[in-house]
């Protein structure tokens, strides 16, 4: 069994009126089977409302299945005495950092998690320093988190999770509010945690370029897993992704469009290097335009 | 009906040990009908700047003018300003508060003193414009997904029909299709009704595709203020200040350097495709 496993997971949000009568039911997760191995880097894509955050909250035992089961590191999340363990194993970075900022000072905020876990004071200090440096916010350690810009807050909440040294980090759109450089830094930090420390990463994102680095991409639609595969497999299916309200990286789309215009390019080009290599291959040969298939 | 900023500076918690200079001597002119992109690293002062435009923050130094009238001068109608200059906040949660989605969107136009029928018509139209289906109208805005909340917040401001529409990272959290749909809608609105749009964004791709002028903020000051082609031409300088150009700019620059003479000033995939095909044909003629 992998570090995260779900079996026939169903979750329904139930809305009630003041008298407690059921007003409506939204099935946000609809029969999801998932198996994520320790050390995997998984990206989850999907349209707004497709169930990504709801799924993520199950991994952190914030929500419990309406039907089916979720295990984190072999422990059933619906069993009360497992919750403490599960939340230490699987750290969560939320979509909106405002929801998780607690401390008066940045360093208190970041130290809150390890302190709660009973980490000795000296080690807390080291962890706070190391994780603030990892997200490039060390110089703000004495600031009030409530008075930071959007992107700065986001990086503080990521540092807070890193400081807990979890086996698995679930990031729910961690880069949504970041500038291009901050976005690169966060993805770099996630990849480093994954490659160097073997941390399992589950990255939920609407930026297609960020999913290129994953080992596997999961695409959700209406609460179900609609596609699964390597970035190359997934991003080769441009039209299907568009139907699912998604997209592909610009370089992938450009190659796809050129191919439609007759250039002999392969599907699923993911990087600029790859694109240049392929383009050079077809332009390099001194063929006639007709043979190159542009006309 | 331009907005003018004259030597505007803003300091958070001025006079204390924690003072932060968020804006430093900003001079800008925002004429009618432009579609402007406002970009800059996190903490560069974008949100602070836009909150000045609709009178939520008052400059520590300098002055702003709307339609030639100085903000905060005697007889200046702040309430009227806020109905003319609509701001969608960076965090939509801060803007949602009513019991259900429909009432939430009705709040702004109701406050303008419009009659019930007009208010509801506007709310309905605005919710449709941002792609929120009827089934969500009577749900609590707090029970929506992240992207759905953002759409409702945008609808709330659209329903006020402002002359200047400011969107502080409106597409953060939207799925790619939703991003295109909303920005297409806003572009169409700007063209049809001639409103001014200021788009604060970290997505260089969106900015390249939609705006006609880019203002680049750096550490509280304005670093560049020019058309997109000129601004993205400076991609190395943009990188130095935490930004970047759209991926397409990098692709074209690499092709130009390593493979084929192509123009690096294209902004969209469509333009890039045509440019590459053109260059390839030339090479073989
Ligand atoms: N607290 C809630 N109460 C009721 N329904 C909810 C609640 N939160 C989410 N939903 C609904 O559940 C569905 C899935 O929402 P979820 O937040 O998981 O989507 P998501 O994929 O994370 O979307 P986004 O990309 O917009 O963040 C949506 O239809 C949403 O309206
Ligand atoms: N309420 C506040 N009190 C004190 N300082 C603040 C406050 N809000 C913002 N700041 C500081 O002012 C500067 C500018 O912040 P602002 O929110 O305008 O940046 P921004 O460009 O919108 O950033 P982002 O892209 O992250 O949203 C930052 O250094 C920030 O830390
Ligand atoms: Mg979500
Ligand atoms: Mg901001």
């Amino acid at each position: 069994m992998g570090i995260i496993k779900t079996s026939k997971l169903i979750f329904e949000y139930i809305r009630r009126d003041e008298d407690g009568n059921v007003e409506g039911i939204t099935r946000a997760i609809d029969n999801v089977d998932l198996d994520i191995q320790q050390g995997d880097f998984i990206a989850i894509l999907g349209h707004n409302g497709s169930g990504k955050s709801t799924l993520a909250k199950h991994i952190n035992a914030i929500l419990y299945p309406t039907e089916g089961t979720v295990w984190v590191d072999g422990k059933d999340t619906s069993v009360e005495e497992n919750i403490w363990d599960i939340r230490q194993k699987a750290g969560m970075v939320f979509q909106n950092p405002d929801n998780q900022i607690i401390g008066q000072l940045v360093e208190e905020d970041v130290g809150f998690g390890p302190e709660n876990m009973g980490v000795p004071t000296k080690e807390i200090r080291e962890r706070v320093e190391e994780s603030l440096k990892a997200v490039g916010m060390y110089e703000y350690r004495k600031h009030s988190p409530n008075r930071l810009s959007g992107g700065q807050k986001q990086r503080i909440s990521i540092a807070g999770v890193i400081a807990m040294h979890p086996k698995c980090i679930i990031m729910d759109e961690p880069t949504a509010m970041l500038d291009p450089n901050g976005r690169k830094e966060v993805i770099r930090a996630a990849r480093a945690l994954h490659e160097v420390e073997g941390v399992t990463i589950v990255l939920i994102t609407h930026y297609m370029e960020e999913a290129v680095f994953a080992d596997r991409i999961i695409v959700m639609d209406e609460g179900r897993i609609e596609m699964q595969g390597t970035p190359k497999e997934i991003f080769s299916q441009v039209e299907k992704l568009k139907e699912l309200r998604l997209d592909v990286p610009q370089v992938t789309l450009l190659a796809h469009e050129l191919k439609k215009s007759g250039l002999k390019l392969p599907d699923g080009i993911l990087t600029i290097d790859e694109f240049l290599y392929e383009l050079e291959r077809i332009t390099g040969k001194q063929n006639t335009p007709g043979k190159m298939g542009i006309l | 009906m331009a907005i003018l900023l004259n030597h505007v500076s803003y300091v958070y918690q001025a006079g204390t040990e924690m003072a932060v200079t968020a804006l430093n001597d900003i001079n800008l002119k925002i004429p009618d009908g432009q579609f402007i992109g406002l970009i800059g690293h996190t903490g560069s002062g974008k949100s602070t700047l836009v909150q000045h435009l609709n009178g939520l923050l008052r400059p520590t130094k300098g002055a702003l003018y709307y339609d030639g009238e100085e903000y905060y001068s005697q007889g200046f109608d702040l309430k009227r300003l806020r109905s003319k200059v609509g701001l969608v906040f960076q965090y939509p949660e801060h803007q949602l508060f009513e019991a259900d989605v429909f009432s939430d969107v009705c709040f702004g136009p109701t406050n303008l003193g419009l009659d019930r029928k007009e208010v509801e018509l506007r709310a309905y139209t605005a919710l449709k414009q941002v792609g929120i289906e009827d089934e969500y109208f009577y749900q609590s805005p707090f029970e929506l997904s992240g992207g759905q909340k953002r759409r409702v917040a945008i609808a709330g401001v659209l329903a006020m029909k402002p002359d200047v529409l400011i969107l502080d990272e409106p597409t953060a959290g939207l799925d790619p299709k939703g991003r295109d749909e909303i920005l297409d809608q806003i572009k169409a609105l700007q063209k049809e009704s001639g409103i001014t749009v200021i788009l604060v964004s970290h997505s260089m791709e969106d900015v390249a595709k939609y705006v006609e002028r880019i203002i680049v903020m750096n550490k509280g000051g304005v670093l560049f203020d020019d058309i997109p082609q000129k601004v993205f031409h400076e991609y190395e300088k943009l990188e130095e200040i935490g930004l970047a150009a759209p991926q397409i700019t990098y692709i074209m620059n690499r092709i130009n350097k390593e493979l084929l003479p192509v123009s690096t000033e294209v902004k969209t995939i469509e333009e890039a495709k045509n440019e590459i095909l053109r260059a390839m044909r030339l090479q073989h003629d």
Side-chain angles (χ1 to χ4, degrees):
Chain A
M1 186 188 298
I3 181 148
I4 299 162
K5 186 173 163 66
T6 74
S7 165
K8 299 195 172 52
L9 175 64
I10 292 177
F11 183 80
E12 288 172 345
Y13 287 103
I14 297 174
R15 293 190 310 280
R16 294 174 192 278
D17 64 13
E18 282 113 56
D19 305 325
N21 299 315
V22 175
E23 249 181 1
I25 296 177
T26 307
R27 182 170 283 212
I29 303 284
D30 192 5
N31 222 342
V32 165
D33 289 315
L34 195 66
D35 201 351
I36 296 175
Q37 303 303 317
Q38 171 66 38
D40 274 357
F41 187 145
I42 304 287
I44 302 185
L45 309 177
H47 64 78
N48 290 136
S50 59
K52 304 179 299 297
S53 297
T54 306
L55 178 63
K57 285 174 186 160
H58 278 83
I59 304 172
N60 198 229
I62 296 171
L63 293 175
Y64 310 104
T66 305
E67 281 176 43
T69 317
V70 177
W71 296 270
V72 173
D73 209 16
K75 295 201 161 75
D76 185 336
T77 62
S78 64
V79 176
E80 178 120 24
E81 58 261 31
N82 289 342
I83 291 179
W84 176 249
D85 253 9
I86 288 171
R87 296 218 176 123
Q88 290 191 24
K89 293 240 163 67
M92 173 108 164
V93 177
F94 289 92
Q95 200 160 0
N96 181 347
D98 275 4
N99 296 344
Q100 55 187 344
I101 282 176
I102 329 161
Q104 292 295 310
L105 292 181
V106 163
E107 58 182 9
E108 283 171 24
D109 195 88
V110 175
F112 186 80
E115 193 182 334
N116 243 359
M117 290 163 59
V119 174
T121 314
K122 183 166 166 285
E123 196 188 331
I124 294 179
R125 230 175 287 134
E126 288 163 10
R127 287 197 190 186
V128 167
E129 182 177 331
E130 138 215 299
S131 43
L132 279 174
K133 281 182 178 161
V135 297
M137 287 298 289
Y138 185 63
E139 50 184 305
Y140 287 86
R141 64 192 179 283
K142 298 287 181 199
H143 285 236
S144 158
N146 292 314
R147 298 210 173 98
L148 295 174
S149 79
Q152 291 166 334
K153 280 185 196 168
Q154 192 80 299
R155 287 196 256 168
I156 298 303
S157 52
I158 293 166
V161 172
I162 295 178
M164 293 174 68
H165 291 183
K167 278 174 97 169
C168 168
I169 300 183
I170 305 130
M171 299 183 161
D172 194 352
E173 298 188 42
T175 58
M177 291 290 170
L178 300 186
D179 58 36
N181 200 31
R183 224 144 67 204
K184 273 185 219 141
E185 271 173 30
V186 166
I187 296 301
R188 212 177 287 140
R191 292 176 71 191
L193 285 168
H194 169 245
E195 277 157 27
V196 182
E197 320 263 341
V199 177
T200 310
I201 306 281
V202 178
L203 171 71
I204 297 174
T205 184
H206 287 301
Y207 286 108
M208 302 299 130
E209 317 86 70
E210 296 177 357
V212 165
F213 303 110
D215 300 319
R216 180 155 57 113
I217 295 179
I218 292 172
V219 180
M220 297 203 53
D221 182 45
E222 311 284 334
R224 285 183 294 270
I225 293 180
E226 182 64 32
M227 298 164 80
Q228 235 183 118
T230 62
K232 205 168 212 52
E233 287 162 2
I234 298 294
F235 288 132
S236 294
Q237 305 179 54
V238 180
E239 315 299 337
K240 170 120 198 241
L241 287 168
K242 292 205 164 177
E243 273 168 37
L244 296 171
R245 304 183 58 86
L246 300 176
D247 207 348
V248 297
Q250 280 198 324
V251 67
T252 313
L253 187 59
L254 178 59
H256 177 77
E257 290 296 324
L258 284 168
K259 187 182 174 197
K260 279 204 297 197
S261 300
L263 293 198
K264 301 221 161 31
L265 291 167
D267 285 325
I269 287 181
L270 298 177
T271 64
I272 298 181
D273 281 337
E274 221 181 322
F275 177 63
L276 252 81
Y277 174 82
E278 294 293 345
L279 203 59
E280 183 163 21
R281 198 175 50 77
I282 52 178
T283 52
K285 294 181 209 151
Q286 293 297 312
N287 280 338
T288 62
K291 266 194 190 154
M292 280 168 48
I294 331 177
L295 297 180
Chain B
M1 241 195 303
I3 298 180
L4 210 71
L5 285 84
N6 193 24
H7 297 292
V8 169
S9 296
Y10 186 78
V11 182
Y12 283 104
Q13 297 170 292
T16 72
E17 211 180 296
M18 301 301 288
V20 177
T21 302
L23 295 179
N24 191 7
D25 196 29
I26 306 281
N27 294 296
L28 283 173
K29 186 173 177 196
I30 298 165
D32 269 351
Q34 266 188 352
F35 201 132
I36 300 174
L38 182 59
I39 65 176
H41 59 86
T42 66
S44 61
K46 303 178 299 295
S47 296
T48 307
L49 177 66
V50 296
Q51 288 176 69
H52 277 78
L53 302 181
N54 82 333
L56 282 175
L57 290 177
R58 194 172 172 157
T60 312
K61 259 198 251 153
L64 289 97
Y65 301 84
Y66 185 76
D67 229 351
E69 230 190 308
E70 187 176 342
Y71 285 40
Y72 311 104
S73 61
Q74 202 160 35
F76 184 78
D77 188 346
L78 204 58
K79 195 167 167 225
R80 183 171 161 273
L81 175 81
R82 291 199 185 134
S83 74
K84 297 276 182 205
V85 182
L87 170 62
V88 180
F89 285 93
Q90 188 164 4
Y91 291 101
E93 285 84 352
H94 294 179
Q95 210 153 358
L96 303 170
F97 47 92
E98 290 282 340
D100 64 74
V101 165
F102 196 73
S103 317
D104 210 286
V105 179
C106 286
F107 181 84
T110 306
N111 255 3
L112 295 179
L114 302 167
D115 67 62
R116 198 71 221 149
K117 218 172 132 202
E118 171 71 12
V119 167
E120 290 183 355
L121 184 67
R122 282 193 183 190
Y124 185 81
T125 313
L127 280 164
K128 287 286 143 180
Q129 279 178 324
V130 298
I132 292 284
E133 299 297 331
D134 301 31
E135 56 181 294
Y136 292 104
F137 284 15
Y138 297 102
Q139 274 194 36
S140 158
F142 300 100
E143 293 178 351
L144 299 173
S145 80
Q148 291 163 336
K149 279 183 192 151
R150 184 163 292 280
R151 287 160 201 254
V152 173
I154 295 173
V157 173
L158 284 180
M160 296 183 61
K161 299 204 175 162
D163 292 332
V164 180
L165 176 62
I166 307 169
L167 304 146
D168 198 347
E169 307 221 22
T171 55
L174 289 190
D175 56 47
K177 183 83 178 294
R179 200 182 62 203
D180 291 350
E181 283 168 357
I182 287 194
L183 291 177
D184 283 347
Q185 278 281 357
I186 286 166
K187 181 87 188 173
L189 194 72
Q190 181 250 350
K191 269 199 178 145
E192 279 160 26
S193 48
I195 61 169
T196 308
V197 177
I198 300 175
L199 174 69
V200 180
S201 181
H202 283 311
S203 165
M204 302 302 132
E205 284 76 18
D206 286 351
V207 169
K209 187 164 166 200
Y210 291 96
V211 313
E212 61 197 273
R213 168 183 174 193
I214 298 180
I215 298 171
V216 184
M217 303 272 301
N218 180 36
K219 296 186 177 156
V222 173
L223 182 66
F224 298 116
D225 181 355
D226 214 325
I227 56 170
Q229 289 89 333
K230 287 265 166 17
V231 170
F232 289 132
H233 189 69
E234 305 288 337
Y235 67 92
E236 279 157 341
K237 284 208 189 95
L238 293 176
E239 284 168 13
E240 279 168 30
I241 60 163
L243 299 177
Q247 196 181 34
I248 202 74
T249 307
Y250 294 99
I251 298 172
M252 297 310 270
N253 274 290
R254 290 269 313 264
I255 295 178
N256 193 45
K257 238 179 250 153
E258 299 170 29
L259 223 55
L260 278 172
V262 290
S263 159
T264 54
E265 297 203 341
V266 304
K267 294 196 298 174
T268 61
I269 303 286
E270 179 70 19
E271 284 170 23
K273 180 188 84 176
N274 293 333
E275 178 60 16
I276 292 171
L277 291 175
R278 187 195 61 79
M280 287 176 80
R281 279 199 200 95
L282 267 187
Q283 192 193 31
H284 290 278
D285 273 351

